[in-house]
Amino acid sequence: MIRSYKYRLYPNRKQTEYLGEMFDLFRELYNAALQERRDAYQKCGITIRYTDQAKQLKEIRRDIPELANYSYSATQQVLRRLDKAFAAFFRRVKNGETPGYPRFKSRSRFKSVPFVFGDGAGIRNNRLHIKGIGQIKVKWHRPIPNDAKIKQVIVKCSNNKWYAVFQIELPDPELVEHPGPAVGIDLGLSSLIATSDGHTVEAPRHFRKTEAKLRRQQRRMSRRRIGSKRWRKAVRQVTKTHAKIANQRRDLAHKISKVLVSAYSLIVFEDLNINGMAKSRLSKSILDAGWNQLITFTLYKAEEAGSTIVMVDPYNTSQACSGCGSIVKKSLSVRVHHCPDCGLIIDRDVNAAINILHRALNPPGRGGQAPTWPVGAYVA
Ligand SMILES: [Zn+2]
């Protein structure tokens, strides 16, 4: 089982400078290798491969001593990355697509450098040691498990912040019998999620605040003249707030998925890929993407916790009555499901969550609902 653990890095001023130089050098190496492949193909019709370019690496490192400061394998990885770009390009050509030829990378498109762990990058004195850079302070906000084998570390820069992403291999978990009950989850509009056993989770206040801030900043940006100094400033603010929202959303998705897999043995979600558009079109909320993230996080956490995840067709889950199966039409503003046929009065999202659970548990045809099991179901 492979996992990624991401940590914020705090390089000092000198290290920041060195990191910038390393990224520049690696980028130049990438672009030069791309140029070589291009020229060889255009001028002589020759295809240059990774092995050809890797053979020259020793010489290049002799000619450019700055490059030799860094580990050999890290420079190899740069060439491999180019090779991957070409492989993807040729694969798409073969499939009859018309992909763009691999492009030269500008600074803004070259933002990560991978290292084989233990080869040019490692952990020393509780810091990230990178050959040619030094020992960089890391905020270890969660420990890397003791039984983990670190395979790779990717140094990243985004929004002027530095990060290290450790790719670790963990032993596969033993299969355990989960003692908890089953639950259906409605991915909500007003509340974040509703569960079939009657819980609703609201979007935290700080989340809504950031959303409002983003809308304000977007309006401000659109009022300004494109390309102007003030416009650029507004763009920077919007980018920053986007990043903040993404962070908050990821945090929240981690928290909710953790609770779900520890409490429930069977978790049923709506399959957003089926018919899910009807719902998400109504909500231009930035939570849309968060739903997919929540499902993804729950899926991989379920593996360890021994929970099972099932996805069902979301068709009519909010309109059907979970008590008797009647279709009770209601607009989005109606928050309570009130069934004229059986008299059930219940929160609309909880009603939907119960329908979602039923769809996974009940045999097809019941209550006039479309048979969905086991269509679209998969087990983590
Ligand atoms: Zn009813």
Side-chain angles (χ1 to χ4, degrees):
M1 171 166 87
I2 302 281
R3 292 278 176 268
S4 289
Y5 280 45
K6 186 177 178 182
Y7 299 94
R8 177 88 186 265
L9 293 176
Y10 291 93
N12 61 31
R13 189 180 297 209
K14 221 56 259 136
Q15 291 168 338
T16 309
E17 202 180 295
Y18 291 162
L19 281 168
E21 279 167 18
M22 179 179 78
F23 272 62
D24 279 345
L25 275 165
F26 281 17
R27 190 166 55 84
E28 278 161 27
L29 177 65
Y30 181 96
N31 287 339
L34 171 58
Q35 181 82 54
E36 189 192 18
R37 285 199 188 209
R38 261 192 159 166
D39 289 350
Y41 189 75
Q42 281 167 358
K43 288 176 191 157
C44 324
I46 300 171
T47 306
I48 294 185
R49 291 177 200 290
Y50 167 76
T51 41
D52 304 321
Q53 295 195 313
K55 269 184 216 153
Q56 307 166 25
L57 206 51
K58 231 180 200 161
E59 232 169 282
I60 296 171
R61 284 166 64 97
R62 204 165 45 224
D63 292 345
I64 311 170
E66 292 89 349
L67 212 50
N69 279 337
Y70 313 108
S71 78
Y72 197 87
S73 70
T75 44
Q76 267 179 331
Q77 296 249 30
V78 175
L79 298 178
R80 255 198 213 109
R81 178 168 167 185
L82 176 69
D83 195 55
K84 268 190 202 150
F86 269 95
F89 170 72
F90 288 126
R91 192 169 52 239
R92 294 185 60 190
V93 169
K94 218 174 153 191
N95 288 341
E97 296 169 55
T98 45
Y101 196 80
R103 287 205 281 174
F104 291 107
K105 293 223 183 269
S106 63
R107 258 192 193 158
S108 60
R109 290 189 173 271
F110 196 91
K111 293 191 149 185
S112 65
V113 168
F115 292 90
V116 176
F117 190 77
D119 189 353
I123 297 170
R124 273 190 214 167
N125 302 321
N126 215 24
R127 289 170 173 234
L128 176 68
H129 174 260
I130 300 175
K131 188 168 180 277
I133 308 278
Q135 296 178 9
I136 304 170
K137 196 173 149 194
V138 184
K139 170 130 177 65
W140 301 103
H141 64 279
R142 62 167 169 165
I144 292 179
N146 281 332
D147 50 356
K149 214 173 136 192
I150 307 175
K151 304 294 244 184
Q152 215 191 176
V153 54
I154 302 161
V155 178
K156 278 191 175 179
C157 182
S158 71
N159 289 322
N160 286 322
K161 294 188 181 104
W162 292 90
Y163 301 91
V165 180
F166 291 87
Q167 309 252 266
I168 63 170
E169 195 181 84
L170 287 166
D172 285 328
E174 287 169 45
L175 281 181
V176 280
E177 191 74 32
H178 196 297
V183 74
I185 306 288
D186 179 65
L187 303 164
L189 299 175
S190 60
S191 48
L192 272 180
I193 62 165
T195 66
S196 54
D197 48 10
H199 299 291
T200 51
V201 177
E202 302 301 322
R205 253 169 76 92
H206 68 265
F207 203 99
R208 288 170 184 277
K209 260 189 179 164
T210 327
E211 270 188 293
K213 188 171 163 195
L214 178 67
R215 279 193 292 274
R216 245 182 359 256
Q217 289 175 338
Q218 280 168 335
R219 278 199 299 275
R220 190 184 304 147
M221 184 176 77
S222 65
R223 278 198 303 268
R224 293 185 175 172
R225 191 165 48 81
I226 294 177
S228 70
K229 212 171 163 186
R230 278 159 52 78
W231 174 78
R232 243 176 263 137
K233 190 180 168 196
V235 170
R236 268 200 304 278
Q237 285 171 338
V238 167
T239 318
K240 212 173 146 190
T241 310
H242 263 299
K244 189 172 175 188
I245 287 177
N247 271 337
Q248 289 178 341
R249 190 165 62 202
R250 196 176 41 247
D251 267 4
L252 202 61
H254 271 305
K255 274 183 197 140
I256 296 174
S257 55
K258 200 171 169 185
V259 171
L260 289 179
V261 299
S262 62
Y264 302 105
S265 60
L266 174 71
I267 302 161
V268 188
F269 283 112
E270 312 163 67
D271 192 338
L272 296 175
N273 297 318
I274 309 175
N275 201 21
M277 276 315 289
K279 202 170 189 183
S280 53
R281 203 180 299 130
L282 292 168
S283 70
K284 264 296 51 91
S285 159
I286 36 182
L287 289 173
D288 290 9
W291 289 338
N292 272 319
Q293 195 174 43
L294 175 68
I295 293 174
T296 311
F297 287 178
T298 313
L299 268 172
Y300 86 68
K301 288 198 176 82
E303 199 181 338
E304 285 161 75
S307 313
T308 302
I309 310 287
V310 170
M311 314 287 272
V312 297
D313 190 340
Y315 177 71
N316 251 349
T317 43
S318 58
Q319 309 295 336
C321 173
S322 59
C324 67
S326 292
I327 299 297
V328 185
K329 288 275 174 214
K330 48 192 170 296
S331 69
L332 264 178
S333 57
V334 180
R335 298 311 313 156
V336 175
H337 168 87
H338 188 168
C339 179
D341 292 330
C342 70
L344 179 70
I345 300 174
I346 189 174
D347 179 276
R348 73 172 280 146
D349 294 338
V350 173
N351 177 63
I354 296 171
N355 283 330
I356 289 164
L357 176 63
H358 281 177
R359 237 163 241 201
L361 297 180
N362 289 4
R366 179 161 161 172
Q369 292 171 350
T372 52
W373 171 262
V375 178
Y378 52 94
V379 171

